[in-house]
Structures are given as structure tokens and as C-alpha cells.
Amino acid sequence: MTSSIPPNVIGRRVLCNGDYGTVLFVGSVPPTTGVWLGVEWDNPQRGKHNGSHEGIQYFKCRHLSGGSFIRPNKANFGVDFLSAVREKYGLNEDQEDPESRTETSIVIGRRTVQTIGFDSIKEKQKQLNNMSDISVDECAVSEAGQEEEIKRTCPNIRRINLSKNLLSSWNEVVNIACQLEHLEILNVSKNKMKFPSTSLPSSRAFCNLKVLALNQTGVTWTEVLLCATGWPALEELYLASNEISLLERPIDTLHNLKWLNLSDNQLTDGNQLHLIADLPRLETLILSNNAISSIHFPDAGFGCKTSKFPSLTHLGVKCNRIVEWSVINELDKLQNLHSLDCRNNPLMETDKNMETVKQLLIAKIGQLNFLNKSAIFPEERRGAELDYRKKYGIDWLKAGGNQDPNKNNPSEEFLSAHPRFQILCEKYGVPEDGELKKEQPFSLKNQLLALTFKCPDKPDQKPIEKKLPDSMTVQKVKGLLYRLLKIPGSKLKLSYESSKMKGKEFELDNDLKPLQFYSIENEDCILVRW
């Protein structure tokens, strides 16, 4: 059976009955005869032991039951890249298509020779030569194959999916890529590979590579940086599910990186982010499903912008451990943050009303255009900011705030908790006494708004005065108006005029939102048109 064992078998990836594993031992296992392979399986449930047999440790596993012995003839050591491509796309030269069978004659010396299938073979070779997109995921690819064969056969490949194969080392990936000078997108996720531990020699293997996926490969951030010197044009890097817990500062590398996905790793310390905060072109950073609880930018004070992450426009921190509003205050320091996904953090449960939490997030981060995958419209931002200004107005006064600019001196503690409050006062004016929200015992009376309905395009229609709960949706208001005016709700267009901002009109553009969403108050006027 030893004839079926490839050289350098230790560390090789194998496939057996649908299970993937890594060879950690080859040799005899007394009292049995013959050669055995000791394999650590990716799925520990496939194993039987920790690499020991009858008290002798032959190899070590990370999991107590992650290993087992198999005979070499049970192990699939994989195929070369081109064999997998030909098999996947039905381009094997020895697999003749009966419908394309041709028979011709050629003269070789003085003999006439009948040739069968030459046209078919040429056509298949032409197809390989013209291919730009190749997907050989789960095809047991383990090596590049004969030197320069890929370059001769399919030199125009630009995009390759090599996920979930039997690639054992990064060097084998380099051996494939160095033959493809036009390669732009490469996915080698779900290949548990050995990566280099020292700097790599100069190579043009990835000189045009723009997108690289290394999810579930076991790579560390240190190994990424060692390899990244060979990725001068890289713009997108995917490193999900690699148990990465520590970062390092990139030096003379990743200058063109725009998208970095570090989701499903083991990052816990927000200060680690400072090590990648100087990437000059990074626009999107995905940190979902880690254990981050704090983020801090000490180079910037209250209401100021940080120099870190200068190009970052989208941040994904979904499913982390963020519980403090101070983290949101810190995110407002980012110069260009326009999109934030922070779903499934403890912070989102600080108020029973999810809409209230959303309003606070919008008010606290001034430049956001998208929150948790939803667009933020101008009226929504205005309502959130006005409500925030009212909600914390009393705290502002208690902390030294004053409607007289000469006496306005809120404490550092207040400014730390509400760094945008002063900006909102400049934008909308300081809150007046009648606007400040005071805690009131719940009663229906306290929740009713005295509103006046006017029809500006219908001068003969008399104003209607009603008291409505602030929780009433725009849709239900239209239903009420249908009963009063006999105009179908689908034809009605509503807006309102604040009693404190005469002459300025604000559209009620979402039927599902309650009146309180638009910060409508007592004595405001609802304008009705159809």
C-alpha cells in the first residue's frame, strides 16, 4: 500500500468518505501489520481517539476524539488543478463526445494516417484557453500539477473559486497563481493550509489580484501580513472564521485595501483596532460575531473627529458585546462613517421600544445615512435629533447648560455623555421650557396631543380640532380623516407645521410611523391635501 502514499505526506490534506482531515502520522501501528495513516479530522466526531493506541502516542490532536488511523488506500489525496477543471467542465481529452466524432486523414512521411477526434480535442483545448471564470470548489484539488501546464492551457483565467479542496499549503496556491498573470479574484476558503512563517521571496504571482477570500483557512493575522507583501493591488480581503484574536500594524503593505472582513473571529479588545486604523483606503470593515465591547479613539475629544480610519464609510459590528452608549459616541468621531450595522448587541435592548434605541443612534452619529441595513431619511433624522434635544434638555440645564449663550457652560461629564447636544442646539436652537421632557405618570391624558387639522387648498373647509394619542400612526390618522372628510386615505397627503416654527412644513411620509416619531407636539397643525 505504500506505493499509494505521496511524498511529504505529513501535513497533507485528505478526503475519506466525505470527511476532510490532515495526515499527522505514517507508519506501522503494532500489533497490526502494514502501513497506517494517522489523521486528525476537521470534524472531531469522525475520530475515535487523540492519536494514541494501546498507550502509545503516535500523533497529537487538538480534540480528545479527533483522530483515527486509516489505510492509505482509503485516503483521497486529491488531483491537480487542470484535472479538476477538465473533469468539472467535461473537457477531458479522453472523454470523447460521440456526436462530435470526426475522422480525417493526415500524411506523416510516406504514410497516410487516419485521425479520429482531433477536431474535438482542439475544440476542448480552445475552450480551456478562452476560460476567464473557473469554479472547482469541492473538487479535491491538492496541487498545481506539471510546471507551466496551467499557463499553457488556460492563461486567461481572471477569477477562481478553489474553496473546500485539499490544498495543504499556501505555496501550492502560489504555484497555481504564478501561472495566471491576469488573476483578479481568488477564493481558497475552507482549505486548512500551512502558511509561511517568514517573509516570502519576491513574486509576481498575485500582482493583479484584487479580491482574496481566506475564510476558514486557519490563517493568523501575522501570516496574512507576511503574505500580503505579494498582494500589491489587493482591494478586498475576507478572513472570517479563523480564530484571529490579535492584530498587528501593517508596514508597507495593504495600502490599497478597501474592504476587510474579520467576522466570526475572537477579537475582544477594541484597542486592537488601532493597529489597523491607519489603512489609508479602507472603506468597509466587518467585525460581526466577535466579542468586542468597547471602541475608543483617544486622539479626539468631545465633538471632534479622529484621524483613525480616514476613509471608513461602513462599519459592521453586529453580534458583539457592545452595551455602553459611549461606544456610539466614539463612532461619531469617525470622519466618513455613513453606514453602521450594530444589530444584536446588548445596547439594542437598553430600551423596550426598539424605535427609541434607533432614534438615539441616529441622533448620536450625525453623518449616518444607513443604520442596520435601512436608509435614514432627512425627516427621520430631524425627528430623532429634535427628540434627543428635548429628552436630555433637563439634564443639560442641571449640568450647567443655559439658554443664554453667555451663561451656557455644561459640565464635561454631560458633554462626554452627549457630545452632539451642543451641535443640535446650534442646529435647532436651545430647547425652550415648554419643549423639555419631564417624567410624567402614565395616563391617557398625558399621552394626548391637541392638534388642529387644516386644508390649505380648500379654504371653505373649516379647521378641525382633535385630541389624539402620540402613539397613533399616520395611517390611522388618515382613517380618521376619511370618516370626517369622506376622502380615501390613499389620496390624502399629510404634513405638519410646528407651533414653534411657523411657516415651516414637514411631510408625514411614512404611514406606519406614530405621530411621536415626527416630534409632533401640542398645538401643532396637521395640513391635509388631496
Side-chain angles (χ1 to χ4, degrees), residues 83-101:
S83 295
V85 171
R86 291 185 175 113
E87 179 69 26
K88 175 74 176 284
Y89 293 94
L91 298 175
N92 277 327
E93 293 173 4
D94 56 353
Q95 293 178 347
E96 186 180 346
D97 183 354
E99 295 183 5
S100 64
R101 180 186 178 98

Side-chain angles (χ1 to χ4, degrees), residues 382-397 403 421 424-425 427-440 449 496 498-502 506 518-524:
R382 179 185 173 280
E385 292 179 341
L386 280 174
D387 213 44
Y388 187 90
R389 175 174 149 276
K390 299 169 189 174
K391 182 179 180 70
Y392 295 102
I394 291 177
D395 292 341
W396 170 69
L397 290 173
Q403 293 162 351
F421 194 89
L424 298 182
C425 287
K427 185 175 181 180
Y428 300 108
V430 296
E432 299 176 4
D433 291 340
E435 294 180 279
L436 300 178
K437 288 194 172 182
K438 300 179 175 64
E439 291 295 324
Q440 294 179 317
L449 301 174
Y496 85 96
S498 171
S499 58
K500 298 180 176 64
M501 301 177 74
K502 293 290 185 182
F506 304 98
Y518 293 97
S519 297
I520 294 176
E521 300 178 325
N522 270 318
E523 300 180 6
D524 284 352

Side-chain angles (χ1 to χ4, degrees), residues 300-453:
F302 314 135
C304 299
K305 297 299 180 183
T306 176
S307 62
K308 306 302 180 183
F309 295 109
S311 301
L312 194 69
T313 59
H314 174 75
L315 177 63
V317 287
K318 182 178 69 173
C319 300
N320 275 274
R321 298 179 182 174
I322 297 171
V323 68
E324 298 293 339
W325 282 104
S326 59
V327 175
I328 305 303
N329 294 338
E330 291 295 310
L331 296 184
D332 184 55
K333 295 179 179 180
L334 293 167
Q335 298 175 38
N336 293 297
L337 186 67
H338 298 307
S339 175
L340 173 67
D341 188 352
C342 59
R343 292 170 292 170
N344 299 325
N345 276 279
L347 179 73
M348 301 302 292
E349 300 174 5
T350 52
D351 194 289
K352 292 180 180 180
N353 187 341
M354 287 291 293
E355 193 64 38
T356 299
V357 177
K358 181 182 177 183
Q359 297 286 82
L360 289 173
L361 286 164
I362 293 172
K364 278 183 170 288
I365 305 180
Q367 65 271 36
L368 275 191
N369 296 323
F370 291 87
L371 175 62
N372 297 336
K373 302 286 186 179
S374 297
I376 300 170
F377 297 102
E379 282 308 303
E380 186 174 15
R381 169 162 294 285
R382 179 185 173 280
E385 292 179 341
L386 280 174
D387 213 44
Y388 187 90
R389 175 174 149 276
K390 299 169 189 174
K391 182 179 180 70
Y392 295 102
I394 291 177
D395 292 341
W396 170 69
L397 290 173
K398 290 179 178 178
N402 199 292
Q403 293 162 351
D404 183 345
N406 297 321
K407 298 178 181 178
N408 183 32
N409 188 27
S411 66
E412 281 201 14
E413 183 181 1
F414 178 85
L415 293 176
S416 175
H418 308 282
R420 291 201 73 231
F421 194 89
Q422 294 285 79
I423 295 171
L424 298 182
C425 287
E426 293 171 9
K427 185 175 181 180
Y428 300 108
V430 296
E432 299 176 4
D433 291 340
E435 294 180 279
L436 300 178
K437 288 194 172 182
K438 300 179 175 64
E439 291 295 324
Q440 294 179 317
F442 179 83
S443 69
L444 183 59
K445 182 180 178 181
N446 290 333
Q447 305 303 309
L448 293 178
L449 301 174
L451 303 174
T452 301
F453 290 86

Side-chain angles (χ1 to χ4, degrees), residues 293-306:
S293 59
S294 66
I295 298 173
H296 184 47
F297 300 110
D299 66 315
F302 314 135
C304 299
K305 297 299 180 183
T306 176

Side-chain angles (χ1 to χ4, degrees), residues 256-290:
N256 293 307
L257 196 66
K258 296 180 179 180
W259 182 297
L260 178 58
N261 189 331
L262 285 165
S263 60
D264 295 281
N265 280 291
Q266 296 178 2
L267 295 168
T268 59
D269 184 2
N271 291 327
Q272 286 283 308
L273 302 182
H274 294 166
L275 299 172
I276 59 172
D278 294 321
L279 290 171
R281 298 185 180 178
L282 188 65
E283 297 174 358
T284 297
L285 178 59
I286 310 297
L287 299 167
S288 304
N289 290 293
N290 278 274

